[in-house]
Amino acid sequence: MAINWFPGHMHKAQKEIKEILPTIDVVIEVCDARLPFSSENPMITEIRGDKPLIKILNKSDLADAQLTKVWLEYLDAQHNVKAIALTTESPSIAKQIPTLIKKLVPHKDQEGKQINAVIMGIPNVGKSTLLNTLVGKAKAKVGNEPAVTKGQQRIRLEDGLYLYDTPGMLWPKIVNENSGYRLAVTSAVKDTAFDHDEIACFAAEYLLEAYPDRLKERYKLEELPVTEVELIEAIGRKRGCVKSGGYVDFHKASAILINEIRDKTLGPLTFESPNMVEKEVVYFDEL
Ligand code: GDP
């Protein structure tokens, strides 16, 4: 699968972040709670050095609550990292961010010095929406296509506390094929970059293993098929996606599965766990 996800303005973002970084006290990275590893930006670990990091698992309404808890514990155990789960469904939690920022740099807060934070993250994780929640009005432009945030802005959260928005886009961590598929399943990267049926096969294989009961219930399957192709065909038959000759329209059935994952019809889902990604990192490193 070819993934070309490094347009020119990402270089620009990288350059501008490096420029503002010396003035930054706290880095906030917004990730997608459904794929906290694959929606990370690889550059952030590299550039933040020792600065405290607030890791936001956003869109947690779409993610599996149990796995979100596992991820929060895993991330919190990392050096100088504080992880929180957010969703637009509970905006009051986002309002605690200013307090959290100050807690991470207690010396500056006590001395009454200006504190600067920067918010970063790959496209479509909900940065603009979060900024809107934080400033209380529609300042940042929100869109459901990747790459809406353009041009850098600095927002005053309260007296002496500023939040810098990242200027352009940062690319996701597509260091391995699975991350690419997971980003595609959750529509973090545009559909056109991927083979639709392949994304559905990847998702079907994962769901068969991780969420078999949800599949049975949703598609009214008494017995779960063994393979991902059989699952998609079964979904197709249940939904009447059958072509002349009795063949299942695989493309249509794939679209049904992907759409029902994305619009939460299949319930909240998480596509990776800390254990899974740790194993994958070792596996892909050895390739
Ligand atoms: P950005 O590119 O990171 O700035 O992302 P946006 O703020 O433009 O959000 C991308 C899409 O995600 C929009 O359609 C938002 O409505 C949606 N979104 C943002 N936050 C949440 C959330 O907590 N839950 C859900 N379900 N959708 C969200």
Side-chain angles (χ1 to χ4, degrees):
M1 180 177 49
I3 306 162
N4 183 4
W5 190 244
F6 202 93
H9 45 253
M10 292 192 187
H11 288 290
K12 186 172 166 261
Q14 181 172 10
K15 197 171 148 268
E16 292 189 22
I17 289 164
K18 282 193 174 153
E19 274 165 19
I20 61 160
L21 207 69
T23 62
I24 296 298
D25 304 295
V26 176
V27 175
I28 301 174
E29 181 174 25
V30 185
C31 297
D32 187 318
R34 294 168 293 176
L35 52 166
F37 171 78
S38 299
S39 62
E40 264 179 8
N41 177 278
M43 195 184 75
I44 291 177
T45 317
E46 179 202 317
I47 59 170
R48 95 174 157 100
D50 246 3
K51 293 184 199 283
L53 174 71
I54 299 176
K55 189 100 174 171
I56 294 177
L57 303 189
N58 207 27
K59 304 194 186 183
S60 58
D61 54 299
L62 302 177
D64 181 327
Q66 243 176 312
L67 276 173
T68 299
K69 207 167 155 255
V70 172
W71 271 109
L72 290 175
E73 282 168 16
Y74 175 81
L75 294 165
D76 266 340
Q78 294 176 2
H79 177 64
N80 233 353
V81 176
K82 176 72 196 140
I84 54 169
L86 288 186
T87 155
T88 41
E89 289 177 2
S90 325
S92 58
I93 301 174
K95 299 271 185 194
Q96 295 166 12
I97 288 177
T99 310
L100 187 56
I101 295 173
K102 288 191 284 187
K103 266 196 193 156
L104 289 171
V105 279
H107 51 287
K108 279 214 159 184
D109 188 32
Q110 280 150 19
E111 290 164 21
K113 287 191 177 153
Q114 183 175 316
I115 300 170
N116 296 322
V118 64
I119 188 161
M120 301 188 196
I122 66 166
N124 220 27
V125 285
K127 295 180 297 300
S128 310
T129 309
L130 176 59
L131 283 172
N132 287 345
T133 307
L134 290 173
V135 294
K137 51 188 168 223
K139 259 200 170 163
K141 211 165 124 198
V142 180
N144 53 13
E145 272 282 299
V148 168
T149 316
K150 283 193 190 82
Q152 188 167 17
Q153 50 180 344
R154 190 180 83 151
I155 293 161
R156 194 182 69 93
L157 291 180
E158 49 186 67
D159 275 346
L161 181 55
Y162 291 92
L163 183 58
Y164 286 82
D165 182 13
T166 32
M169 286 202 296
L170 295 171
W171 61 101
K173 179 190 289 191
I174 309 190
V175 290
N176 70 53
E177 207 179 38
N178 292 348
S179 287
Y181 279 122
R182 289 179 195 132
L183 285 157
V185 172
T186 54
S187 69
V189 290
K190 284 185 190 172
D191 270 359
T192 46
F194 299 88
D195 180 312
H196 204 256
D197 298 358
E198 260 188 72
I199 302 169
C201 284
F202 177 87
E205 189 183 3
Y206 175 71
L207 295 177
L208 276 171
E209 202 191 313
Y211 298 100
D213 294 342
R214 298 260 193 105
L215 291 172
K216 270 189 178 170
E217 200 187 311
R218 175 69 196 153
Y219 300 111
K220 305 205 169 26
L221 303 165
E222 271 169 33
E223 289 277 322
L224 261 194
V226 178
T227 69
E228 63 274 21
V229 171
E230 286 165 359
L231 173 64
I232 294 170
E233 286 177 346
I235 293 171
R237 270 191 294 274
K238 288 275 176 183
R239 295 299 174 80
C241 310
V242 181
K243 294 199 268 197
S244 58
Y247 294 108
V248 169
D249 184 334
F250 201 82
H251 197 63
K252 263 195 189 161
S254 295
I256 289 174
L257 177 64
I258 292 176
N259 288 336
E260 296 199 349
I261 289 170
R262 289 180 182 169
D263 69 12
K264 214 179 155 182
T265 307
L266 271 167
L269 301 167
T270 294
F271 286 88
E272 58 195 16
S273 67
N275 265 346
M276 273 168 68
V277 296
E278 276 187 358
K279 280 190 204 137
E280 284 173 10
V281 167
V282 173
Y283 173 77
F284 282 99
D285 275 356
E286 283 171 359
L287 283 184

